[in-house]
Amino acid sequence: MPKHSKRYADLAKKVNRTTYYSVDEAVKLAKETASAKFDETLEMHLKLGANPSKGDQAVRGTVVLPHGTGKVPRVAVFADGENAQAAQEAGADRVGGEDLVQAIDEGWADFDILVAHPSMMRIVGRLGKKLGPRMPSKKSGNVTEDVGGAVAELKAGKVEYRMDRGAVVHCPLGKVSFREEQLVENFLTLLKAIVAARPASLTGKYLKSLAISTSMGPGIKVSVEDAQSKATAA
């Protein structure tokens, strides 16, 4: 059992571990339990009924949160010519071709997300082993003809959600300094996208359990029924 600090233990007392809170109640409580000296991130943790070992039940996608995440990502783009110009105009932090590939191959890593025009994948491919899951891909929407649009969406608050090997999705919802209504709207937008991504081959219950937590705070259980009904109506 991990040993928590006295601060964490005191915060955990505010959360009833047997209660499933409504979305609004959970967000309000999460803000109350955020006491770190930095602006903590609020995260969603969603357990799905999908089977990670079945390819046709993979749950993965992207969504633009209406109020962003509170962090503007550093975006590097593989593009040339007009596409490179479009990426720069959209706010890309670095744009390049062979020079960018070489820089990353030599250890440069001052980026959060990579975007690539399809025509550049022939030279980007050799970075596969080095980049691993950070490699641009069509599934994550980071290999696209519209690199300018992709950069603009990422800067505006586009996030990727992906089910892990335990069939759990972990995703940021914003900073605790956001207003409660902003965090609730981000929550419902993300959940609505995940609900829409339900695999066609899946039978049985899709959303099994749901919780939110801040970076340094305790987990807060959320009523799946309340959350799903509000996300559907949103």
Side-chain angles (χ1 to χ4, degrees):
M1 292 283 292
K3 186 175 181 180
H4 294 296
S5 65
K6 183 178 183 300
R7 179 197 68 83
Y8 182 95
D10 289 340
L11 292 175
K13 292 178 183 178
K14 296 182 178 182
V15 180
N16 189 325
R17 302 182 78 176
T18 63
T19 297
Y20 290 85
Y21 296 89
S22 70
V23 176
D24 300 82
E25 290 171 337
V27 169
K28 181 179 180 180
L29 186 55
K31 285 176 66 69
E32 291 174 358
T33 58
S35 65
K37 294 181 180 180
F38 60 92
D39 193 5
E40 298 179 58
T41 296
L42 182 64
E43 298 180 345
M44 173 192 286
H45 310 282
L46 177 60
K47 174 72 173 181
L48 300 177
N51 187 339
S53 66
K54 294 184 177 180
D56 62 351
Q57 290 192 17
V59 177
R60 179 179 182 181
T62 59
V63 61
V64 177
L65 300 182
H67 303 288
T69 63
K71 177 184 177 181
V72 179
R74 298 166 299 172
V75 183
V77 181
F78 297 101
D80 57 12
E82 294 181 356
N83 294 311
Q85 183 177 348
Q88 290 173 334
E89 292 175 352
D93 297 273
R94 181 166 179 175
V95 182
E98 284 282 3
D99 59 323
L100 181 54
V101 171
Q102 182 177 348
I104 293 174
D105 197 34
E106 293 174 352
W108 181 79
D110 292 337
F111 62 88
D112 298 303
I113 303 173
L114 292 170
V115 173
H117 188 272
S119 64
M120 304 298 288
M121 291 306 292
R122 57 185 173 78
I123 63 172
V124 178
R126 68 173 186 258
L127 294 175
K129 288 185 178 180
K130 179 177 286 289
L131 292 173
R134 303 180 77 184
M135 184 76 171
S137 70
K138 289 185 178 180
K139 286 186 177 180
S140 63
N142 295 340
V143 175
T144 173
E145 297 277 351
D146 184 13
V147 290
V151 172
E153 285 189 340
L154 289 167
K155 293 289 186 178
K158 180 180 179 181
V159 297
E160 179 183 7
Y161 57 86
R162 181 191 302 182
M163 181 178 71
D164 64 17
R165 293 180 181 178
V168 179
V169 173
H170 305 279
C171 207
L173 296 170
K175 297 294 184 179
V176 294
S177 59
F178 286 14
R179 298 193 309 274
E180 287 178 24
E181 56 267 32
Q182 291 178 314
L183 291 169
V184 168
E185 190 174 353
N186 277 358
F187 177 105
L188 296 177
T189 298
L190 174 60
L191 185 61
K192 187 173 184 177
I194 295 174
V195 169
R198 175 179 178 135
S201 63
L202 176 65
T203 59
K205 192 172 184 178
Y206 178 44
L207 308 182
K208 299 190 73 173
S209 65
L210 177 59
I212 61 173
S213 66
T214 61
S215 304
M216 304 295 288
I220 301 169
K221 295 178 180 178
V222 181
S223 166
V224 172
E225 292 73 20
D226 176 75
Q228 189 164 5
S229 64
K230 288 178 177 175
T232 302

